[in-house]
Amino acid sequence: MSRAFVDALLALAFPDGVAPWLDALVDRDLCGRLLADFKLNPVLPRDPGRPCRVALSDQGEPERWERLVLAAFPLRRTEVFAALSPPGARRMVDTDGETAELYLDDLQAVAHALPSPTADPLMCLTLTLPGGGRTSITRHGAPPLAAAPPALHDAIRRLPGGVWGLRWKRDAVVSAVWVSEARWRGDHVEKTAAFAAAFPAQPRFAEVRALAAAHALVAYPDAVELHVDGRVDLTVGFLA
């Protein structure tokens, strides 16, 4: 998986150019090697009026990643939040180049004492930058209809299989997150078809799929975030 694909993906996501701090943060060669391992993923809002984003993890370079993220957002809250990450957890920045959301991710897989807003296991903690708002995402093995607001029920029912998350802002659910698990379950074809049927007319996803195919890659829906206000954000994964 090549450096050329990473450059092309960034050009597609940011047609007006990549923010200098983000351009410096993206190690093209490392991202190319770890692309199937969720090192760099485009995040595509369904609303064409909202900018594309990328999610970039600290995998393979935790010290450099932290140094450059802290330099881009030189706030005490950034430093404190990054330091909360327990050993073995994955840190990620989701950004449009101007604002960002930091994630402490995959928390269900490591030992920690971070509090969950419910009895369900904690999957993520997030910090919005530069504003400083925080959310928590709990992990659910089945569609979380009992806890999700009714406004989300129809969209939740459209997406089959996988695992689920609920994003909490204080004591309110603000979105549901479907994680397809397609890479691990070997059903990316079925999951892609299910997403296309549930949310048709996704020109940005079509563009990313075409770009991936031109580089001998397959693009598939890795995660979909369903917001209570109707927004839909697709995170795209890649396979050789």
Side-chain angles (χ1 to χ4, degrees), residues 86-101:
R90 190 176 78 122
R91 294 176 300 180
M92 181 178 71
V93 59
D94 176 337
T95 182
D96 61 7
E98 295 185 10
T99 62
E101 189 165 23

Side-chain angles (χ1 to χ4, degrees), residues 10-197:
L10 291 172
L12 188 155
F14 304 109
D16 295 328
V18 184
W21 73 269
L22 180 58
D23 189 54
L25 183 61
V26 178
D27 181 324
R28 269 64 168 180
D29 292 328
L30 184 60
C31 287
R33 292 197 303 272
L34 298 178
L35 197 64
D37 297 316
F38 313 110
K39 173 66 177 173
L40 177 70
N41 301 87
V43 183
L44 312 177
R46 191 183 189 195
D47 179 355
R50 295 174 57 224
C52 293
R53 313 192 305 272
V54 294
L56 180 69
S57 82
D58 70 349
Q59 184 179 0
E61 52 174 356
E63 294 84 6
R64 192 186 83 95
W65 182 95
E66 180 176 305
R67 174 170 51 83
L68 292 180
V69 169
L70 294 182
F73 297 95
L75 302 166
R76 176 64 178 161
R77 64 172 64 100
T78 317
E79 183 179 351
V80 169
F81 187 79
L84 290 175
S85 185
R90 190 176 78 122
R91 294 176 300 180
M92 181 178 71
V93 59
D94 176 337
T95 182
D96 61 7
E98 295 185 10
T99 62
E101 189 165 23
L102 294 188
Y103 281 73
L104 309 184
D105 199 7
D106 294 334
L107 294 174
Q108 78 283 352
V110 299
H112 63 82
L114 299 168
S116 172
T118 70
D120 302 292
L122 187 64
M123 185 162 65
C124 308
L125 287 180
T126 81
L127 172 71
T128 301
L129 292 170
R134 289 201 190 191
T135 68
S136 305
I137 301 179
T138 51
R139 190 175 191 271
H140 306 263
L145 294 170
L152 293 175
H153 287 190
D154 178 62
I156 288 173
R157 290 189 179 103
R158 297 185 205 175
L159 295 170
V163 298
W164 285 89
L166 287 177
R167 187 189 290 265
W168 301 79
K169 189 170 184 179
R170 301 184 183 89
D171 59 351
V173 173
V174 295
S175 71
V177 182
W178 176 68
V179 183
S180 73
E181 297 278 277
R183 181 188 174 190
W184 314 116
R185 302 185 185 192
D187 60 355
H188 67 274
V189 173
E190 294 84 354
K191 293 287 176 57
T192 301
F195 172 75

